[in-house]
Amino acid sequence: MAVRKNQADLTAAEKRRLIDALLQLKRDGRYDTFVRTHNAFIMSDTDTGDRVGHRSPSFLPWHRRFLIEFEQALQSVDASVTVPYWDWTVDRTPAASLWAADFLGGTGRSRDGQVMDGPFAFEAANWPVNVRVDGRTYLRRALGAAVAQLPTRAEVDGVLAMATYDMAPWNSASDGFRNHLEGWRGVNLHNRVHVWVGGQMATGASPNDPVFWMHHAFVDKLWSQWQARHPRSPYLPAAGTRDVVDLHDTMRPWNNVTPADMLDHTRYYTYDTAA
Amino acid sequence: MPRPSEPSRPTRRQAIGVTAGTLTALALASSAHAAPLSTRPASDAAHDAPEAFDEVFQGRRIQGLPGAGHMHHGGGYSVRIDGQELHVMRNADGTWISVVNHYETFATPRAVARAAVVELQGAALVPLV
């Protein structure tokens, strides 16, 4: 069984193997297919129309499935690799080891936002940004520039205390746990982290930055923590909801997996700490 | 201020071409809840579409035009930077996002266009895939 670990606890060898697997997926083209899929959903999920990957109840099971697929791709290169999670309530500054040159590299330079160190820097020639919204082909970041602070543990706890999974109108205007975790409403958790990182992470093509996977692995872990705190709170809505993925509806693009299939992550992986 | 020449607007075919990748990804198999685009109700945005704008901001020409956006977004508002379409979307609360600033909301299409200009640092938008 795969174990997803806190990125701060990875050994040097574990970091190296993860980086090597990421670079291999990039070389063989599989990495960019994940970026392309994500951007397609970002552009098509709307508050007033069909919505699957974002701004809807299936935000959490959709990204769980998306990360499982990505993790399986990594494991086809190196079976020992799993997706680590980034607990941004703890590792909350650009000085965190996450951003060191032996892992993801640091923030971008001021002139053009270009990441200049680490394995994903443009100069290393291993990480061309091919699926993009503008002409720039280098990885960019501006850590902490657009928003000063990452969410705190207290802010996370406030969201985890919300007992209702999601509420009508099942979109970016909803009250409830899902939309507060996604960040369109309230203290803003998930969305704010994208903005804090900046660069491609702030765009629809956010998986261009490998930190995308570690951010979403932590969002996924928060979902499991919420389930542990609210064992009698189900995924909602249950059935018959226009434009929204109900509990037993299949999710695009896979069409063979439902939110109900994604509720128990221990069928696929466990975490290094209990929920 | 000199009136700029009529901006080139996308034809229906171009607009569809722009989203072909999206539609291919989404339409590979049937989905019980995938409503045909043509039968969708008009969105709230259509009832109070923001006005058009056309200005030069930090050296880039930004334009906004109601009724010319991506068909699949219902909002029907098009934003361009130096003639290239910026993918924008209206949120349920009336705020706006773009594909360049996707996780941060802005009050108006003009604000989202200006934010994109700042973010682009002179780079050109590429056609949406």
Side-chain angles (χ1 to χ4, degrees):
Chain A
M1 175 63 72
V3 178
R4 291 190 181 171
K5 301 175 183 174
N6 188 319
Q7 59 78 25
D9 297 330
L10 295 186
T11 66
E14 286 171 331
K15 292 178 185 178
R16 189 66 246 170
R17 296 184 79 136
L18 172 60
I19 291 165
D20 288 347
L22 287 165
L23 296 180
Q24 177 57 37
L25 290 186
K26 186 66 164 177
R27 269 193 300 275
D28 68 28
R30 281 186 284 172
Y31 192 95
D32 287 345
T33 66
F34 285 92
V35 185
R36 197 171 288 112
T37 295
H38 187 268
N39 195 44
F41 277 82
I42 277 278
M43 297 204 308
S44 67
D45 295 323
T46 64
D47 279 335
T48 53
D50 202 22
R51 47 197 184 275
V52 179
H54 306 85
R55 56 181 68 233
S56 61
S58 46
F59 168 69
L60 290 169
W62 190 92
H63 281 84
R64 176 166 284 176
R65 182 64 201 169
F66 192 54
L67 260 68
I68 288 170
E69 296 246 328
F70 184 72
E71 190 165 60
Q72 289 172 346
L74 288 172
Q75 290 168 349
S76 75
V77 176
D78 183 338
S80 77
V81 170
T82 58
V83 176
Y85 62 87
W86 168 32
D87 182 346
W88 24 256
T89 71
V90 173
D91 297 302
R92 49 186 299 104
T93 76
S97 60
L98 174 66
W99 308 111
D102 69 344
F103 203 8
L104 297 190
T107 194
R109 63 182 176 187
S110 59
R111 175 159 66 83
D112 58 4
Q114 186 174 163
V115 170
M116 299 302 291
D117 66 342
F120 309 102
F122 190 71
E123 287 296 308
N126 290 319
W127 203 257
V129 174
N130 302 313
V131 181
R132 56 188 189 265
V133 300
D134 61 63
R136 295 170 290 183
T137 57
Y138 46 87
L139 182 64
R140 293 178 293 112
R141 293 185 189 125
L143 303 182
V147 59
Q149 298 294 330
L150 288 163
T152 65
R153 187 68 220 183
E155 288 171 329
V156 166
D157 287 340
V159 172
L160 290 178
M162 296 176 178
T164 303
Y165 177 77
D166 206 346
M167 298 185 195
W170 319 109
N171 63 17
S172 75
S174 292
D175 199 353
F177 168 70
R178 186 275 310 168
N179 197 36
H180 279 81
L181 175 56
E182 190 171 359
W184 299 112
R185 182 163 175 164
V187 296
N188 186 357
L189 302 181
H190 152 269
N191 281 354
R192 196 199 324 178
V193 176
H194 277 275
V195 175
W196 185 89
V197 174
Q200 280 89 2
M201 263 292 273
T203 75
S206 48
N208 273 306
D209 192 326
V211 81
F212 172 91
W213 311 102
M214 304 185 198
H215 171 36
H216 271 278
F218 186 60
V219 170
D220 184 87
K221 188 170 191 285
L222 292 178
W223 183 22
S224 69
Q225 289 181 352
W226 178 85
Q227 289 174 306
R229 289 197 196 191
H230 305 281
R232 278 185 286 279
S233 294
Y235 175 94
L236 294 171
T241 316
R242 180 187 175 87
D243 291 335
V244 170
V245 181
D246 297 314
L247 178 63
H248 296 291
D249 289 345
T250 57
M251 295 185 285
R252 292 181 286 109
W254 311 288
N255 298 307
N256 62 356
V257 60
T258 68
D261 297 328
M262 290 289 103
L263 297 181
D264 179 10
H265 71 276
T266 65
R267 294 166 59 186
Y268 302 93
Y269 53 87
T270 59
Y271 285 107
D272 54 353
T273 59
Chain B
M1 188 174 106
R3 181 69 191 163
S5 58
E6 177 68 12
S8 61
R9 292 169 56 173
T11 63
R12 176 72 56 90
R13 191 169 56 161
Q14 284 169 332
I16 290 170
V18 151
T19 59
T22 303
L23 295 176
T24 301
L26 304 183
L28 284 175
S30 64
S31 173
H33 55 273
L37 299 175
S38 59
T39 64
R40 281 192 187 151
S43 74
D44 294 338
H47 299 303
D48 57 339
E51 297 198 340
F53 65 88
D54 190 336
E55 69 179 29
V56 174
F57 178 76
Q58 293 189 1
R60 312 289 295 269
R61 182 177 179 192
I62 59 174
Q63 299 161 281
L65 200 61
H70 281 299
M71 298 304 289
H72 65 283
H73 277 162
Y77 194 95
S78 169
V79 173
R80 289 171 168 260
I81 297 178
D82 291 340
Q84 195 67 247
E85 183 166 6
L86 172 70
H87 188 276
V88 299
M89 188 184 297
R90 192 173 206 183
N91 298 312
D93 66 359
T95 60
W96 294 77
I97 57 172
S98 81
V99 75
V100 171
N101 296 90
H102 193 81
Y103 303 91
E104 185 179 5
T105 60
F106 298 87
T108 63
R110 188 194 303 255
V112 90
R114 287 175 169 178
V117 167
V118 171
E119 177 64 25
L120 287 167
Q121 293 185 293
L125 288 171
V126 297
L128 305 173
V129 292

